[in-house]
Amino acid sequence: MTVSTYFQPDSLPEALALLGEHGPDLLVIAGGTVAMPLINEGISLPAKVMGLRRVGLGGIEQRGDRLAIGAMATLTALTTLQEVPLLAEAARHTASWAVRNMGTVGGNLFTPPPGGDVATALLALDAQVELVGPAGARLLPLSGFWTGFMTTAAGPDELVARIVVPVAPGRHAFVKLGRKAANTPAVVTVAVRAAMDGEAVRDVRIALGAAGPHPLRSAGAEAAVEGRALTPEVIASAAGAAAEDAQPFSDQVASTWYRRRMVGVMVGRALAQLASAEQRGA
Amino acid sequence: MASVVVAFELGGRPVEVLVSPLATLQQVLRTQLGHTSVKDGCRQGGCGSCTVLLDGEPVLSCLLPVEDVAGRRVTTLEDLTPVDGLTTVQRAFLDANGFQCGYCTPGMELVTKALLERNPAPTRADIAEALSGNVCRCTGYVPIIAAVEAAAAAGSAAAVVASEGATR
Amino acid sequence: MTAQYHVVGESLERTDGVAHVTGRTLYTADLAFPGMLHLKVVRSPLHHALIRGVDLSAAERVPGFVRALTHADVPHNVYTILGLIGVEPEEEFVLPVDRVRYKGEPIVAILAETEAAAYEAVGKVQLDLEELPAVFDMDEALAPGAPIVTHWGNNTFMYEGHPCRRVRYGDVEAGFAQADHILEGEYRTSPIEHAPLETTGCIAVPEAGRFTVYTNTQAVYFSLDNTSIILGLQPNRLRFIGGTVGGGFGGKVDVIVEPLATLGAMRTGRPVRYVYNRQEEMQVSSTRSAETIRIKDGVMADGTIVARKVTGLADCGAYSRQTPYAITKFAANATGPYRIPNVWVDAYCVYTNRTPTSAMRGFGVTMGHFAIEVQMDKIAERCGIDPWTVRFRNAHRNGDVKPHRKVTSDATLIETMQAAARLVGHGLPPELAAMTSAPRTEWEGER
Ligand SMILES: Cc1cc2nc3c(=O)[nH]c(=O)nc-3n(C[C@H](O)[C@H](O)[C@H](O)COP(=O)(O)OP(=O)(O)OC[C@H]3O[C@@H](n4cnc5c(N)ncnc54)[C@H](O)[C@@H]3O)c2cc1C
Ligand code: FES
Ligand code: FES
């Protein structure tokens, strides 16, 4: 509980050096909206903490047909991102205004379910994670980033520096079911992205949040719609497949039973949105 | 545990505090600087009672290490209350009875101020979304939303008066 | 005409309004005193267990640790909040001696120079507990062979020697025999946490010869008197200062924080602050009790209720606090605002290993009314008549006798329903629109 040192490195190399020096004893915090509540209640008792607010990773820049989003970009910064409307929509449906002003996109990748709404959208967008460590930088597809509940492929000496998102035309849908309209943990979150070939769906990604130990894609639902027009029958079979693929859990928000059913319903709604008229022009 | 000195701007005045590492802005404001309008409902980011404005943006002081605000501008309700009378937002909350026990009120008013600066004519949905991080257990929110609407109306009326004054 | 009234019909500014909107209102936890210590408690991680040992040695080595308080420090360690109004027996431990009965029950209190040190020392107290079977369901708690929670050998609060609060009025069996329909229903409600935005807390400050306690209790003299009993201090040595409560809803009447904080001030001679964190407020402060309500009604074809038999179970958790009183209120209100000539009620206050329950807005009555009003709708459905009509036909009128033998003298249900119908634009049939709460005619009173 009694923290002996709070490091505030001014650059990424300085941060990596501190991480190398203090190793796993050093708790990294970004916006602090996940880490600080645990420290305040004495659930997490770190002796040494490192804050990333000054390392200069808050920027968002274009890299060819991709967007490189600094890990320290706030959720508020994402809400107005016109290049990737799915991400903006996911950010708008995450937490409250003040939390969005503090919480970061990098931190969202480390948020245990039912959190991780932005991470779910990033998964549907085929995003990549840029990890930086003593050996330099490496790009990892987000689909290979999570290895289990609260575990990732990031090494103990690595930090997430950026998240790289393709900017491509296509349709998207974001559906989050919570117990209230705003600032609510997810019962289930669904993010869908697809290119369209006439009425047929191509390269579809259907990502589920709060439906497993980390955001996951439903291979069954994707196979059910890939290359097909979104008829009610196709949507229904995809919804059923998603409910089967989900690995739901019970917590204070919802039961396993309810989550599994809602995965089906929400995937159905998301696909219906994808098929809807407003998206045709996009 | 070596204490550190942190300097920032509080309500337009420079302040310097000696703090233990990772002390939260909330604890420093409440116990060292006497700004007890900053409340302490949860320390989990869940209630909004500890809201302050950081460079004009609402943030939760319970989740913010005070070392992270070094060199930045912090505003609490103490800093906004005029010597005589009330701000437009305070007057609207008083007139609309936008409170019962008052514990959520400072946070509600700071978010309202920040909202109206960005969106002077918010819809009910805008208001509800903006205040969604601020819990009130007493009022059921209806009088709070009415207070924000009244503050918006009073603010735009004041803006009209000010601009008419300027053209005259 | 000159205005004679300055309040009625006017919207008045609240006396505390300006302080609230300027954030100047001081709540208990906003106060601080020189040399103030912070109190945090070690809580049971188990629902039911024997305490075999408590090892404080590692906690004592935490920098900033000042002292611990154990059951041996508490002058009168077993009490019951309602003892002040004659409720017996004393049952709740300020700090338990050899057994914990609910998860989160305090075992040892730690006093430290800072809150961080108090938390750290709490984390270092080693508990040696032997887990016991626990019971969380009321029907299971009442079944033979259930783990016994209380120290008197069964899991019910005893009302003058009976395991339940009873109401006997008329002859229910005769009523059922006479009825055209029998309707049975079982209703369950959940525990509800008040979740005030300001958590429960107090600061006890030693002064020459006495203690001043700043507290956000909703019941200042209740807290003072119980603290005086627990600490064996004459009431004139305690001065309790209440103030603005940051949300109470009935949840701040349990006298849990004041005795320990004052004891800490007695033992150290320093001001002591004991304020719940959010987790404590949600997990260990009392809730409204969960209830199971079983109703059997005998009803005539026109919707008139002629008999009601009720078994009510309220889960008081590990200690009964204010729940025995809630049950009495439940039993007295088991017919709601309706006249029923034959009534039989057995209402139990059942102990389980759940968080103790206590007062909350209308406790006892609220849950009963949920059951009663759903039951009224079912009666309407069964008899094929409008739900308004059923309520008008059964509504109490002046002169009606209630099951607890009180004569109704201020009935207003009929007039209230008429006003409600007007407000929601619901046209009432002439029969209902013409009714009043005036005493029944002899003919009407027959049934
Ligand atoms: C009231 C409230 C409501 C919320 N609602 C939602 C919601 O609706 N949806 C949702 O998804 N989330 C929600 N959250 C969770 C949280 O706000 C977001 O997930 C946020 O994006 C987390 O980011 P952060 O920077 O604050 O994380 P932090 O708390 O700073 O970080 C958490 C952990 O992530 C790791 N980490 C962070 N950044 C990096 C990095 N660059 N490199 C390596 N490791 C890193 C560290 O181990 C750190 O301890 C809510 C939180 C609160 C308090
Ligand atoms: S105290 Fe900071 S959000 Fe509740
Ligand atoms: S007025 Fe009491 S919490 Fe809002």
Side-chain angles (χ1 to χ4, degrees):
Chain A
M1 187 67 204
T2 316
V3 175
S4 67
T5 321
Y6 180 47
F7 297 104
Q8 295 174 287
D10 288 313
S11 69
L12 188 55
E14 202 187 315
L16 290 170
L18 284 165
L19 200 55
E21 188 184 329
H22 299 279
D25 289 349
L26 188 64
L27 177 80
V28 176
I29 65 170
T33 59
V34 172
M36 290 297 288
L38 302 175
I39 296 173
N40 286 345
E41 291 225 318
I43 294 165
S44 158
L45 301 164
K48 294 177 236 170
V49 180
M50 174 167 78
L52 300 180
R53 278 204 169 88
R54 295 190 186 160
V55 298
L57 286 174
I60 301 176
E61 60 196 53
Q62 196 84 33
R63 274 193 197 165
D65 60 354
R66 284 152 189 271
L67 211 57
I69 303 172
M72 290 301 292
T74 62
L75 300 176
T76 297
L78 301 189
T79 57
T80 50
L81 210 59
Q82 274 153 19
E83 296 89 336
V84 199
L86 171 57
L87 201 51
E89 204 173 324
R92 281 198 296 273
H93 286 91
T94 299
S96 64
W97 185 9
V99 172
R100 289 193 295 270
N101 284 340
M102 306 176 76
T104 67
V105 60
N108 202 263
L109 302 184
F110 293 91
T111 303
D117 293 319
V118 169
T120 304
L122 287 168
L123 183 61
L125 287 163
D126 276 336
Q128 292 168 299
V129 184
E130 186 184 304
L131 291 165
V132 182
R138 60 181 178 127
L139 267 184
L140 194 73
L142 192 53
S143 53
F145 179 70
W146 294 290
T147 52
F149 177 74
M150 300 283 277
T151 57
T152 71
D157 50 0
E158 287 182 311
L159 293 172
V160 173
R162 284 170 201 83
I163 291 140
V164 182
V165 185
V167 179
R171 293 190 193 173
H172 74 271
F174 181 83
V175 176
K176 175 177 173 181
L177 174 68
R179 290 172 58 163
K180 55 191 182 108
N183 188 21
T184 184
V187 172
V188 52
T189 297
V190 178
V192 182
R193 212 208 140 277
M196 298 301 291
D197 180 1
E199 289 298 297
V201 174
R202 294 270 178 240
D203 296 330
V204 68
R205 301 285 181 269
I206 299 176
L208 311 176
H214 51 74
L216 39 94
R217 278 170 53 184
S218 167
E222 289 178 3
V225 296
E226 184 68 37
R228 297 199 172 86
L230 290 169
T231 61
E233 297 71 36
V234 167
I235 291 178
S237 80
E244 263 177 49
D245 282 352
Q247 304 160 33
F249 53 90
S250 290
D251 62 3
Q252 55 276 60
V253 179
S255 67
T256 303
W257 178 91
Y258 185 59
R259 276 206 165 93
R260 191 179 295 285
R261 271 150 191 81
M262 288 306 108
V263 166
V265 174
M266 296 303 139
V267 165
R269 285 191 194 167
L271 292 173
Q273 260 186 40
L274 207 68
S276 78
E278 301 104 79
Q279 296 240 351
R280 296 268 153 96
Chain B
M1 180 184 85
S3 294
V4 288
V5 175
V6 178
F8 59 100
E9 196 186 297
L10 180 60
R13 293 174 296 115
V15 291
E16 258 186 27
V17 282
L18 185 65
V19 302
S20 50
L22 210 74
T24 62
L25 178 62
Q26 175 189 49
Q27 291 312 305
V28 171
L29 285 172
R30 285 175 55 77
T31 62
Q32 290 179 247
L33 296 166
H35 282 229
T36 51
S37 76
V38 176
K39 294 293 184 261
D40 187 1
C42 72
R43 300 190 194 177
Q44 294 177 21
C47 77
S49 72
C50 68
T51 305
V52 301
L53 302 180
L54 181 63
D55 296 329
E57 297 281 341
V59 295
L60 302 171
S61 61
C62 69
L63 303 183
L64 196 55
V66 66
E67 288 131 297
D68 280 7
V69 307
R72 300 183 67 180
R73 195 158 48 85
V74 175
T75 311
T76 71
L77 201 59
E78 274 89 348
D79 306 320
L80 296 174
T81 305
V83 178
D84 293 310
L86 300 171
T87 65
T88 309
V89 172
Q90 289 171 333
R91 168 54 59 191
F93 270 76
L94 183 63
D95 290 347
N97 276 315
F99 56 86
Q100 282 178 27
C101 78
Y103 203 83
C104 66
T105 313
M108 293 283 181
E109 291 181 348
L110 287 175
V111 174
T112 301
K113 173 186 158 61
L115 170 69
L116 296 182
E117 278 167 6
R118 285 155 190 77
N119 179 359
T123 62
R124 280 182 83 83
D126 294 338
I127 296 169
E129 190 345 275
L131 293 176
S132 69
N134 294 72
V135 173
C136 177
R137 282 291 292 162
C138 302
T139 62
Y141 301 100
V142 173
I144 293 176
I145 293 174
V148 180
E149 287 178 324
S156 56
V160 170
V161 172
S163 67
E164 278 176 357
T167 44
R168 241 178 249 142
Chain C
M1 217 179 91
T2 47
Q4 294 188 9
Y5 300 113
H6 306 294
V7 176
V8 174
E10 294 295 315
S11 182
L12 288 189
E13 193 170 283
R14 280 175 48 169
T15 51
D16 54 2
V18 169
H20 282 352
V21 300
T22 55
R24 288 188 185 128
T25 303
L26 284 178
Y27 301 82
T28 300
D30 296 336
L31 306 175
F33 297 86
M36 186 167 79
L37 297 174
H38 297 262
L39 187 154
K40 288 281 158 198
V41 302
V42 178
R43 298 189 178 280
S44 169
L46 299 175
H47 297 286
H48 196 189
L50 293 177
I51 305 172
R52 288 208 300 218
V54 178
D55 180 358
L56 294 169
S57 52
E60 285 165 354
R61 287 195 294 273
V62 169
F65 171 91
V66 173
R67 71 164 286 166
L69 302 171
T70 70
H71 64 83
D73 289 294
V74 189
H76 186 89
N77 193 29
V78 189
Y79 74 113
T80 206
I81 306 174
L82 292 181
L84 296 177
I85 55 168
V87 171
E88 293 180 316
E90 293 186 311
E91 52 151 41
E92 181 155 5
F93 292 79
V94 177
L95 294 171
V97 179
D98 56 4
R99 184 148 74 107
V100 282
R101 296 172 165 83
Y102 69 97
K103 185 173 170 178
E105 183 163 0
I107 298 175
V108 181
I110 301 288
L111 296 158
E113 298 286 350
T114 65
E115 210 177 274
Y119 273 125
E120 191 175 343
V122 162
K124 296 212 161 135
V125 173
Q126 294 292 321
L127 298 177
D128 181 6
L129 302 178
E130 181 184 327
E131 187 158 11
L132 295 173
V135 61
F136 307 109
D137 176 271
M138 290 188 279
D139 287 317
E140 285 172 21
L142 294 179
I148 297 300
V149 182
T150 67
H151 63 73
W152 55 85
N154 70 15
N155 285 333
T156 61
F157 182 85
M158 302 302 285
Y159 289 93
E160 290 97 36
H162 295 282
C164 58
R165 179 60 88 196
R166 299 162 308 150
V167 176
R168 302 289 184 265
Y169 179 60
D171 180 346
V172 272
E173 295 307 330
F176 291 143
Q178 167 200 358
D180 295 321
H181 303 288
I182 299 291
L183 265 103
E184 289 184 85
E186 177 173 308
Y187 304 89
R188 287 170 185 258
T189 63
S190 305
I192 301 173
E193 164 55 34
H194 318 73
L197 203 51
E198 176 213 37
T199 61
T200 302
C202 74
I203 303 173
V205 183
E207 286 163 3
R210 69 176 182 181
F211 300 91
T212 295
V213 181
Y214 300 84
T215 164
N216 60 22
T217 179
Q218 289 175 253
V220 124
Y221 287 99
F222 224 63
S223 296
L224 188 153
D225 290 350
N226 272 302
T227 304
S228 128
I229 291 168
I230 290 166
L231 300 184
L233 289 175
Q234 286 300 315
N236 65 0
R237 297 202 43 210
L238 294 170
R239 177 176 172 233
F240 272 49
I241 300 184
T244 303
V245 178
F249 321 115
K252 288 178 177 159
V253 293
D254 280 348
V255 200
I256 303 298
V257 289
E258 296 93 340
L260 273 184
T262 310
L263 181 62
M266 276 170 77
R267 293 285 186 264
T268 62
R270 293 173 63 177
V272 172
R273 180 187 201 268
Y274 180 15
V275 178
Y276 278 176
N277 65 24
R278 175 54 52 188
Q279 191 177 351
E280 288 174 306
E281 188 68 46
M282 300 304 282
Q283 293 191 345
V284 304
S285 79
S286 319
T287 61
R288 182 194 285 284
S289 64
E291 289 196 0
T292 298
I293 300 164
R294 299 183 177 114
I295 303 181
K296 178 177 178 183
D297 280 346
V299 181
M300 303 310 290
D302 70 351
T304 311
I305 310 170
V306 289
R308 168 168 291 174
K309 189 167 182 179
V310 180
T311 305
L313 309 176
D315 186 344
C316 70
Y319 298 110
S320 68
R321 297 192 183 165
Q322 321 244 357
T323 299
Y325 174 61
I327 295 309
T328 298
K329 291 194 343 177
F330 168 82
N333 284 280
T335 55
Y338 305 111
R339 186 184 78 129
I340 305 178
N342 303 295
V343 176
W344 186 102
V345 182
D346 272 0
Y348 295 82
C349 174
V350 184
Y351 290 80
T352 66
N353 294 106
R354 295 175 64 162
T355 307
T357 70
S358 195
M360 182 175 194
R361 291 189 162 178
F363 56 132
V365 179
T366 319
M367 302 82 113
H369 278 262
F370 153 69
I372 290 165
E373 293 304 327
V374 177
Q375 189 76 3
M376 293 306 280
D377 285 345
K378 289 186 185 167
I379 292 171
E381 198 176 273
R382 173 75 67 87
C383 299
I385 49 180
D386 166 55
W388 290 84
T389 308
V390 168
R391 290 175 169 85
F392 273 90
R393 287 200 181 141
N394 288 289
H396 267 315
R397 293 170 49 179
N398 290 328
D400 288 350
V401 180
K402 297 178 184 176
H404 50 69
R405 315 308 198 266
K406 286 265 190 285
V407 177
T408 307
S409 58
D410 52 359
T412 51
L413 177 60
I414 287 170
E415 289 76 8
T416 305
M417 289 193 294
Q418 287 164 340
R422 272 196 301 281
L423 283 172
V424 299
H426 178 81
L428 290 175
E431 176 211 347
L432 306 187
M435 281 177 75
T436 73
S437 292
R440 287 167 208 276
T441 61
E442 254 167 56
W443 179 83
E444 280 178 308
E446 285 288 278
R447 232 189 325 250

